[in-house]
């Protein structure tokens, strides 16, 4: 337990750099646990400056919350891209393998992997944008070219390239203990889900919204509830692909239905279990939405009883809300700026008024989240990089984006407020 091991790979003519991995703390340890969490590292849109900064941290491990690769092709040099995705769109197994090879050619990503062991789950782009794994057609229109063979190819390439081999075929959800301070629950919110409701649009809830549908699925849901209820760890940290806090915009619209807000019955089931069983100190660490957000997780889509806290760690390089035109609902589109995003703080304050469970948000920057979990408290820092369009290793100030949470603390709302900022 808690031992560093060093390794390298060799061929007849060359050696790789020396890498380091570290085993977990022993079960009785009260030593603080330090890790980073990240997601959404589209290769062509920008440089992996966040990985360069992450590699300089003092961490026990890192957590990838999905979208390690992008099967699609979104950015091109001369447009919004800074480097070329020579693979293009991945459809067959060799395409998906080539995506991992391309992404792993990045020196900053290599450096991060050489420094830390990684715990990972997937999201949608390891196969195809917004697919629902429980549907025969993926819940997608025919022009998206989704097939079960394509999904199988994406899954196979994922397990070939990630440091995890499931004991049961393709079962990715699992728990990992790090001493007495952390029980890490890694979820799979893609493979077992039914299709998203309401055409996954930016729109008010439709007639089919509040109906039973699988998100985790019954087996994974039972496992999650049982693990949370039985865990003796100080902190129950949930590796969560998609935001648990609702995201609403103008006109009483939801900002799509791809996350937990599109599956309100499973959402209420899980949060209700946490409250009913009096499970304290539950923290969701989240990816997907390309935005830094920190806030409270409440029942009844944000208006009910507090159940947990949530920290959303931005994106490594995929487009932020400030870098693209934002559908703010009610027919309102807010123009973005890919080269130099600069979201008006008044807009963030207005959206936070619609989402009162949110403490702070940053629409413009890229980066990752960092956790230190101790027996008496938890620190979360949202680490933001100044740009991805040129190479840099130094984050901007963490002021307003660093949280100190005590055991038993039910809310972080107002801790770094009242001002929300993108600066």
């Amino acid at each position: 337990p808690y031992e560093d091991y060093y390794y390298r790979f060799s061929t007849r003519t060359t050696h790789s750099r020396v890498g380091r991995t570290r085993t977990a703390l022993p079960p009785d340890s009260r030593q603080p646990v330090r890790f980073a969490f990240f997601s959404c590292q589209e290769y062509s849109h920008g440089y992996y400056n966040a990985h360069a900064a992450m590699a300089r941290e003092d961490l026990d491990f890192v957590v990838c919350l999905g979208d390690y690769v992008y099967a699609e092709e979104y950015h091109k040099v001369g447009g919004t891209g800074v480097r070329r995705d020579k693979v293009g769109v991945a459809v067959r197994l060799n395409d998906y393998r080539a995506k991992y090879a391309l992404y792993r050619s990045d020196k900053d990503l290599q450096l991060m992997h050489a420094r830390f062991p990684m715990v990972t789950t997937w999201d949608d782009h390891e196969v195809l944008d917004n697919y629902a794994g429980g549907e025969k057609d993926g819940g997608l229109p025919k022009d998206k070219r989704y097939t079960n063979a394509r999904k199988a190819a994406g899954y196979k390439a994922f397990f070939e390239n990630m440091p995890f081999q499931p004991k049961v075929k393709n079962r990715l959800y699992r728990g990992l203990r790090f001493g007495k301070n952390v029980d890490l629950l890694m979820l799979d919110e893609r493979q077992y889900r039914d299709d998203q409701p309401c055409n996954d649009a930016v729109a008010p809830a439709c007639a089919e919204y509040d109906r039973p549908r699988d998100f985790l699925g019954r087996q994974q849901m039972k496992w999650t509830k049982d693990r949370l209820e039985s865990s003796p760890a100080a902190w129950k940290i949930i590796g969560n692909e998609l935001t648990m806090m609702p995201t609403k915009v103008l006109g009483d619209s939801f900002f799509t239905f791809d996350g937990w807000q599109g599956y309100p019955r499973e959402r209420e089931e899980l949060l209700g279990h946490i409250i009913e069983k009096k499970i304290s100190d539950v923290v969701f660490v989240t990816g997907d939405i390309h935005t830094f957000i920190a806030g409270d997780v409440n029942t009844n889509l944000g208006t009910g009883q507090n159940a947990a806290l949530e920290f959303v760690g931005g994106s490594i390089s995929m487009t932020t809300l400030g870098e693209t035109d934002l559908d703010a609902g009610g027919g309102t589109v807010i123009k973005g700026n890919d080269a130099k995003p600069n979201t008006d703080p008044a807009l963030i304050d207005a959206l936070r008024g619609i989402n009162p469970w949110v403490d702070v948000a940053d629409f413009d920057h890229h980066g990752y989240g960092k956790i230190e979990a101790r027996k008496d408290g938890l620190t979360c820092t949202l680490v933001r990089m100044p740009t991805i369009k040129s190479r840099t290793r130094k984050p901007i100030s963490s002021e307003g984006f660093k949280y100190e949470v005590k055991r038993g603390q039910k809310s972080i709302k107002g801790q770094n407020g009242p001002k929300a900022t993108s600066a």
Side-chain angles (χ1 to χ4, degrees):
Y2 207 66
E3 185 73 29
D4 287 349
Y5 292 88
Y6 297 87
Y7 63 91
R8 67 181 178 183
F9 298 97
S10 298
T11 70
R12 185 179 63 178
T13 57
T14 60
H15 300 291
S16 75
R17 74 173 74 193
V18 174
R20 183 195 72 172
T21 192
R22 176 179 290 171
T23 48
L25 289 163
D28 61 348
S29 173
R30 280 293 189 187
Q31 183 171 325
V33 179
R34 300 180 180 92
F35 68 92
F37 59 96
F38 72 93
S39 66
C40 306
Q41 55 179 30
E42 202 277 341
Y43 178 84
S44 61
H45 186 235
Y47 297 110
Y48 290 167
N49 294 330
H51 283 308
M54 197 185 306
R56 299 165 64 188
E57 301 270 16
D58 178 16
L59 304 171
D60 298 319
F61 58 94
V62 298
V63 175
C64 176
L65 296 168
D67 295 343
Y68 185 94
V69 297
Y70 279 71
E72 307 81 10
E73 184 178 21
Y74 286 108
H75 304 278
K76 293 187 176 182
V77 176
T80 53
V82 300
R83 49 187 180 177
R84 187 169 71 91
D85 181 347
K86 60 185 179 183
V87 180
V89 179
V91 178
R92 295 170 295 274
L93 177 58
N94 282 343
D95 300 332
Y96 286 100
R97 286 170 168 165
K99 284 281 186 178
Y100 286 93
L102 173 67
Y103 281 47
R104 291 269 175 85
S105 70
D106 182 272
K107 299 300 183 184
D108 292 326
L109 182 58
Q110 289 179 11
L111 182 61
M112 183 277 290
H113 278 298
R115 287 274 292 143
F116 311 117
M118 186 174 75
V119 180
T120 187
T121 188
W122 52 37
D123 193 18
D124 51 344
H125 291 282
E126 284 87 354
V127 174
L128 189 61
D129 182 31
N130 280 357
Y131 85 96
E135 304 284 355
K136 290 183 179 179
D137 62 356
L140 298 172
K142 289 184 178 179
D143 62 359
K144 295 294 185 179
R145 299 169 65 191
Y146 174 90
T147 64
N148 284 332
R150 188 174 183 180
K151 179 177 74 171
Y155 284 9
K156 182 173 175 58
F158 176 90
F159 287 118
E160 286 177 350
N161 283 279
M162 292 299 180
F164 173 67
Q165 291 296 318
K167 295 179 181 178
V168 178
K169 184 179 179 181
N170 293 344
R171 175 175 157 169
L172 197 52
Y173 65 88
R174 63 206 188 276
L176 299 95
R177 283 287 304 280
F178 297 91
K180 289 187 174 183
N181 286 332
V182 169
D183 196 358
L184 177 63
L185 287 69
M186 297 296 293
L187 300 186
D188 179 352
E189 296 163 5
R190 192 57 61 177
Q191 182 173 189
Y192 311 109
R193 69 157 65 191
D194 293 329
D195 193 15
Q196 297 91 311
C198 311
N199 295 317
D200 197 24
V202 177
C206 58
E208 66 175 19
Y209 174 64
D210 189 16
R211 294 180 182 175
R213 56 177 58 86
D214 284 341
F215 187 61
L216 299 183
R218 302 321 305 161
Q219 183 175 339
Q220 184 178 190
M221 175 64 81
K222 182 180 185 305
W223 175 87
T224 303
K225 293 194 296 186
D226 290 347
R227 181 86 182 201
L228 286 171
E229 186 176 353
S230 63
S231 177
W235 298 95
K236 279 68 68 177
I237 298 178
I238 298 178
N240 183 50
E241 298 157 38
L242 296 139
T243 49
M244 177 60 84
M245 287 183 288
T247 304
K248 302 195 78 172
V249 288
L250 302 176
D252 200 32
S253 295
F254 287 96
F255 188 68
T256 78
F257 296 84
D258 188 51
W260 280 96
Q261 65 192 17
Y263 300 77
R265 296 201 180 186
E266 279 207 9
R267 183 184 190 276
E268 296 306 307
E269 179 183 353
L270 180 57
L271 298 184
H273 178 80
I274 291 171
I275 291 170
E276 178 188 353
K277 299 300 181 180
K278 299 181 180 179
I279 303 168
S280 60
D281 303 319
V282 178
V283 176
F284 290 86
V285 294
T286 302
D288 177 69
I289 201 170
H290 314 162
T291 305
F292 290 102
I293 310 172
D296 300 341
V297 174
N298 303 317
T299 60
N300 196 26
L301 289 174
T303 63
Q305 189 173 352
N306 180 273
L309 306 175
E310 184 169 24
F311 298 103
V312 186
S315 73
I316 293 292
S317 58
M318 190 48 173
T319 313
T320 65
L321 297 181
E323 290 171 336
T324 189
D325 293 348
L326 171 64
D327 184 347
T332 300
V333 176
I334 299 167
K335 300 295 289 184
N337 185 330
D338 185 83
K340 196 174 182 180
N342 187 27
T343 303
D344 186 347
L347 169 64
I348 298 178
D349 283 335
L351 291 175
R352 195 179 63 169
I354 304 172
N355 300 269
W357 40 87
V358 171
D359 189 49
V360 295
D362 181 337
F363 285 12
D364 296 333
H365 293 100
H366 298 267
Y368 57 95
K370 181 174 64 173
I371 294 280
E372 179 182 271
R374 305 172 301 277
K375 65 179 180 178
D376 57 350
L378 177 145
T379 303
C380 180
T381 307
L382 300 178
V383 181
R384 300 168 300 144
M385 306 303 295
T387 184
I388 60 167
K389 297 303 185 181
S390 60
R391 295 191 184 276
T392 181
R393 291 172 176 261
K394 186 177 180 180
I396 63 176
S397 170
S398 63
E399 183 179 358
F401 289 83
K402 184 175 182 178
Y403 287 82
E404 298 290 347
V405 183
K406 297 178 181 179
R407 293 286 303 278
Q409 186 172 330
K410 299 294 186 182
S411 174
I412 57 171
K413 187 71 172 68
Q415 179 172 322
N416 288 330
K419 184 181 179 182
T421 179
S422 65

